[in-house]
Amino acid sequence: MSAIRNYQKELDNIIEGLEKAEVKNPPELLLHSCCAPCSSYVLEYLRPFFKITVFYYNPNISMEPEYLKRVEEQKRLISAYNEALRSDVQSELRCAAYPIDIIEGDYEPDKFFEAAKGLESCPEGGERCFACYELRLRKTSQIATDGQYDYFTTTLTISPLKNAAKLNEIGEKLENECGINWLPSDFKKKGGYQRSIELSKEYQLYRQNYCGCIYSKPERE
């Protein structure tokens, strides 16, 4: 029986290596984001060590108004974080973090319905979710390859409802396919999920109560 991996520890080791190397140019990270609240802590945590581009790609969100609301919240949070870097009030951040960019992916709900075909009745957290993870991460790996990023990863592991081991398994499979380094994570660890709740309140972020797909919404309700 294989040992349970500590993905958070693996991430800490990578960051420790970057700190010891004292790199002049930070590695470039393409971060798939599911929403602003989940990304809030992840960005706060990673931006001192990586030059981050957020990739907002979530075809699982079935209703376009919901999608548009979430993507605007993502842009608003990034704008606030970048403004803090320029602010004299928070000048200590200016040498401790890097500006954040964003790529807004296409809204492609048909891609999600195609991936979920035959899995509609699966419970939340099962095979339908795994297919959705791969859909979003595969697109992220493609963008990371085209942009020649150093790493790619996702905010999804911050959620207690998401399977971090499965997400990392998919990410590592895609790393082998595309040649871009997968950044392992379990962002809910070290108080990450609780910190995301605090930041959501601080920035008054819209915090949805379901992932966005029509199959999970009834379960949440």
Side-chain angles (χ1 to χ4, degrees):
M1 184 177 179
S2 59
I4 297 175
R5 290 172 60 182
N6 187 331
Y7 294 103
Q8 179 58 47
K9 181 63 175 176
E10 291 180 26
L11 174 56
D12 287 342
N13 289 340
I14 291 172
I15 289 174
E16 183 179 346
L18 293 174
E19 290 181 303
K20 287 182 177 178
E22 297 182 347
V23 293
K24 293 182 179 179
N25 296 315
E28 295 195 13
L29 168 67
L30 186 65
L31 173 67
H32 166 263
S33 176
C34 55
C35 62
C38 286
S39 72
S40 60
Y41 164 74
V42 177
L43 292 171
E44 179 185 70
Y45 174 46
L46 294 180
R47 65 181 178 169
F49 312 106
F50 298 89
K51 179 67 175 67
I52 302 173
T53 298
V54 168
F55 179 46
Y56 189 88
Y57 179 69
N58 297 291
N60 58 301
I61 301 175
S62 305
M63 308 299 290
E64 188 170 10
E66 178 74 14
Y67 175 88
L68 294 173
K69 187 172 185 177
R70 295 190 194 187
V71 76
E72 288 307 314
E73 284 294 89
Q74 182 71 80
K75 291 176 181 178
R76 183 170 71 83
L77 176 66
I78 291 173
S79 178
Y81 274 12
N82 286 340
E83 182 59 34
L85 292 176
R86 295 187 290 268
S87 171
D88 290 335
V89 176
Q90 298 192 40
S91 59
E92 71 275 7
L93 291 175
R94 298 174 73 175
C95 60
Y98 299 97
I100 302 161
D101 295 323
I102 184 169
I103 297 173
E104 182 180 350
D106 295 329
Y107 179 48
E108 302 175 321
D110 289 348
K111 299 282 189 182
F112 169 73
F113 288 119
E114 181 181 344
K117 190 173 182 180
L119 302 171
E120 295 88 349
S121 61
C122 289
E124 186 174 2
E127 291 297 327
R128 185 184 66 247
C129 291
F130 298 165
C132 181
Y133 297 167
E134 182 155 356
L135 171 64
R136 290 188 273 178
L137 291 181
R138 183 169 293 281
K139 185 69 172 181
T140 305
S141 71
Q142 291 169 353
I143 299 297
T145 301
D146 292 343
Q148 297 184 312
Y149 288 82
D150 299 298
Y151 292 91
F152 73 104
T153 196
T154 180
T155 64
L156 286 167
T157 64
I158 200 170
S159 171
L161 299 175
K162 300 295 187 291
N163 187 321
K166 190 67 177 180
L167 285 159
N168 281 284
E169 176 188 315
I170 294 169
E172 289 174 348
K173 180 183 77 170
L174 294 170
E175 173 188 311
N176 291 331
E177 293 180 13
C178 73
I180 303 295
N181 294 310
W182 166 255
L183 191 69
S185 75
D186 194 351
F187 291 120
K188 71 178 71 65
K189 299 288 184 66
K190 298 175 67 174
Y193 178 67
Q194 181 59 40
R195 179 59 178 157
S196 74
I197 295 174
E198 295 169 359
L199 288 167
S200 294
K201 292 179 180 178
E202 180 180 340
Y203 288 94
Q204 299 182 319
L205 298 175
Y206 166 60
R207 194 174 181 89
Q208 65 284 346
N209 65 354
Y210 74 111
C211 75
C213 84
I214 60 172
Y215 308 114
S216 67
K217 191 171 190 292
E219 290 191 38
R220 294 294 99 202
E221 293 175 342

